[in-house]
Amino acid sequence: MNNIKFVEPQNIEKRSFEIIQNELGDFKLESEKEPIIKRVIHTTADFDYVDNLIFSDNVVKNAKAALKSGATIITDTNMAYSGINKKAAAKYGVDIKCFMADEDVAKEASERGETRATVSMERASKIQGPLIFAIGNAPTALIKLYELISEGKINPELVIGVPVGFVNVVEAKELIMSANIPYIVAKGRKGGSNVAAAIINALLYNVEEN
Amino acid sequence: MNNIKFVEPQNIEKRSFEIIQNELGDFKLESEKEPIIKRVIHTTADFDYVDNLIFSDNVVKNAKAALKSGATIITDTNMAYSGINKKAAAKYGVDIKCFMADEDVAKEASERGETRATVSMERASKIQGPLIFAIGNAPTALIKLYELISEGKINPELVIGVPVGFVNVVEAKELIMSANIPYIVAKGRKGGSNVAAAIINALLYNVEEN
């Protein structure tokens, strides 16, 4: 059909990570961060994430423990929800929730003049057990999380703060990094629902690693 | 709660596009491509797409006509499916389909030793009426589309070819650009389900523009 030699699909991921390692050359990533940074690069083909991704102390170890204990993951988009590997999550009894498309969330947001992301985070704050937030889109989600944390209403095991964009995004990321909770943040403008899902998947795939 | 001055959520998108325009400076985008390129930048915060996005002749005009006539959009991921604005699509009677999570697709792919993306494209080829493909992940989807086109089995109104990655991706994009059908392709490694959805949304939001 064509003369191009394609790599067999089952070998693509392995070969991709080899290429990423190759392009990183001698640059040494910290071992607990390495699978996360590489998976984000794999998802975006963007090596900026080598420098962009900021990890709070011990965040990876703590996040893996939370996943093992069956934490609930809350996303701020259905795209991020879709991108998380459900089988890998189910293996640890991890539930994934997104309230963004719920009609009553839209109604309440409209009545109160808030964003759906804000109302979604309030809903999420009522979930029992350990919480992990994967925020790839809405700065207002991060701002609301900062408030809920400051008010002592939640104490999340991890906030992934990787909204993408040009307005409020940088500020909201800086704010959540000041909240004294474990975080993985893509500093600057870049990020996205795909990046949020990639970080969760990298954690899930490496839960058993130390 | 904090001293940062945030832009009101309802003004974020407008302000974002102003910032994007600002950073483009005097660089002039062709008018029919402009809303698409800008929305992809808005989705990724990545200005590389100014150069990366390649449009076949008259593709935007033809794609809008197809959307107006109620084309069916097929995606290769549930992430891209999730990212497409359903209300904007419904306005023109545009249906959106993704077969990737269908159990019988997984079963057939496994039995035949093909990828689910390949089997999904075969399913899609049986849909009646004008077809638009939004491929943000799987090179094998583009390869299968190339075959189906070459065999005269489909004649799509548009193929969005924006898989992301390090293996087979560049080659599959080059292949689909040689298929003599209307395309929008992100040349090189970059792209993603979010980019595929952004291109569809930009087309939907500007259907009425010439």
Side-chain angles (χ1 to χ4, degrees):
Chain A
M1 58 140 200
N2 61 74
N3 299 317
I4 305 165
K5 233 180 122 61
F6 286 99
V7 175
E8 289 296 312
Q10 66 272 24
N11 299 325
I12 289 180
E13 184 161 310
K14 184 167 167 283
R15 185 75 195 105
S16 297
F17 279 86
E18 286 167 2
I19 294 172
I20 292 167
Q21 178 57 53
N22 226 29
E23 303 221 356
L24 286 169
D26 292 336
F27 191 88
K28 189 82 191 130
L29 299 169
E30 285 177 58
S31 65
E32 66 163 16
K33 301 176 187 175
E34 183 178 330
I36 297 169
I37 295 170
K38 283 186 175 171
R39 186 156 293 276
V40 170
I41 294 171
H42 178 256
T43 295
T44 57
D46 189 340
F47 283 87
D48 280 3
Y49 288 100
V50 171
D51 299 314
N52 289 353
L53 286 177
I54 312 294
F55 297 72
S56 65
D57 290 345
N58 299 314
V59 62
V60 175
K61 201 178 145 204
N62 293 345
K64 287 177 184 173
L67 287 169
K68 271 191 176 173
S69 74
T72 302
I73 298 168
I74 301 100
T75 71
D76 70 327
T77 58
N78 276 303
M79 280 190 84
Y81 178 90
S82 297
I84 294 172
N85 187 321
K86 306 296 181 302
K87 270 190 197 163
K91 202 170 150 192
Y92 302 101
V94 167
D95 203 7
I96 309 155
K97 293 197 178 294
C98 178
F99 301 107
M100 292 298 284
D102 292 8
E103 276 182 33
D104 57 343
V105 166
K107 188 163 172 283
E108 183 180 334
S110 162
E111 284 168 3
R112 290 172 45 197
E114 299 280 1
T115 69
R116 285 182 297 149
T118 297
V119 176
S120 293
M121 293 304 116
E122 290 173 355
R123 300 273 160 120
S125 72
K126 281 157 195 153
I127 297 170
Q128 297 298 311
L131 299 180
I132 291 176
F133 292 90
I135 308 302
N137 184 59
T140 53
L142 290 183
I143 298 167
K144 176 48 74 176
L145 289 178
Y146 176 86
E147 289 176 7
L148 290 165
I149 293 160
S150 303
E151 294 163 2
K153 290 182 180 160
I154 55 169
N155 187 23
E157 304 300 321
L158 168 63
V159 175
I160 295 171
V162 296
V164 61
F166 295 86
V167 176
N168 296 351
V169 164
V170 172
E171 297 85 345
K173 287 169 176 173
E174 296 289 335
L175 188 66
I176 204 69
M177 285 194 282
S178 73
N180 201 27
I181 42 93
Y183 63 77
I184 301 173
V185 164
K187 236 175 135 73
R189 288 170 170 176
K190 285 186 176 177
S193 299
N194 51 342
V195 173
I199 292 171
I200 291 286
N201 287 338
L203 287 168
L204 286 168
Y205 300 156
N206 294 280
V207 157
E208 308 296 345
E209 313 285 324
N210 282 316
Chain B
M1 58 138 199
N2 60 73
N3 299 316
I4 306 165
K5 235 178 122 57
F6 286 100
V7 175
E8 289 295 313
Q10 66 272 22
N11 298 326
I12 288 179
E13 184 162 311
K14 185 168 168 284
R15 185 75 195 105
S16 297
F17 278 86
E18 286 168 2
I19 293 171
I20 293 167
Q21 180 55 56
N22 225 29
E23 302 219 356
L24 286 169
D26 291 337
F27 191 88
K28 189 79 191 131
L29 300 169
E30 284 177 59
S31 66
E32 67 164 15
K33 301 176 186 175
E34 182 177 332
I36 296 169
I37 296 170
K38 284 186 176 173
R39 186 158 294 277
V40 171
I41 295 171
H42 178 255
T43 294
T44 57
D46 189 339
F47 283 86
D48 280 2
Y49 288 99
V50 171
D51 300 313
N52 289 353
L53 286 176
I54 312 293
F55 297 72
S56 65
D57 289 346
N58 299 315
V59 61
V60 174
K61 201 176 146 203
N62 293 346
K64 287 177 184 172
L67 288 169
K68 269 188 176 172
S69 74
T72 301
I73 298 169
I74 300 101
T75 71
D76 70 328
T77 58
N78 276 303
M79 279 191 84
Y81 178 91
S82 297
I84 294 172
N85 187 321
K86 307 294 180 303
K87 270 191 196 164
K91 202 171 152 190
Y92 301 100
V94 168
D95 204 5
I96 309 155
K97 293 198 179 295
C98 179
F99 301 107
M100 292 296 284
D102 292 8
E103 275 181 36
D104 57 342
V105 168
K107 187 163 172 285
E108 184 180 335
S110 163
E111 284 167 3
R112 289 172 47 198
E114 298 280 1
T115 69
R116 286 183 296 149
T118 297
V119 177
S120 292
M121 292 305 115
E122 291 172 356
R123 301 272 160 122
S125 73
K126 283 156 192 156
I127 297 170
Q128 297 297 311
L131 300 180
I132 291 178
F133 292 89
I135 308 302
N137 184 60
T140 53
L142 289 184
I143 298 166
K144 176 49 73 176
L145 288 178
Y146 177 86
E147 289 176 7
L148 291 165
I149 293 159
S150 302
E151 294 161 2
K153 291 184 179 159
I154 55 170
N155 187 23
E157 304 300 321
L158 167 63
V159 175
I160 296 171
V162 295
V164 62
F166 295 86
V167 176
N168 296 351
V169 164
V170 170
E171 297 85 347
K173 287 168 177 175
E174 296 290 335
L175 188 66
I176 203 70
M177 285 194 284
S178 74
N180 201 26
I181 42 92
Y183 63 79
I184 301 174
V185 163
K187 235 176 137 71
R189 291 172 169 174
K190 285 186 177 178
S193 299
N194 51 342
V195 173
I199 292 171
I200 291 285
N201 287 337
L203 287 167
L204 286 168
Y205 300 157
N206 294 281
V207 158
E208 307 296 345
E209 314 283 326
N210 282 314

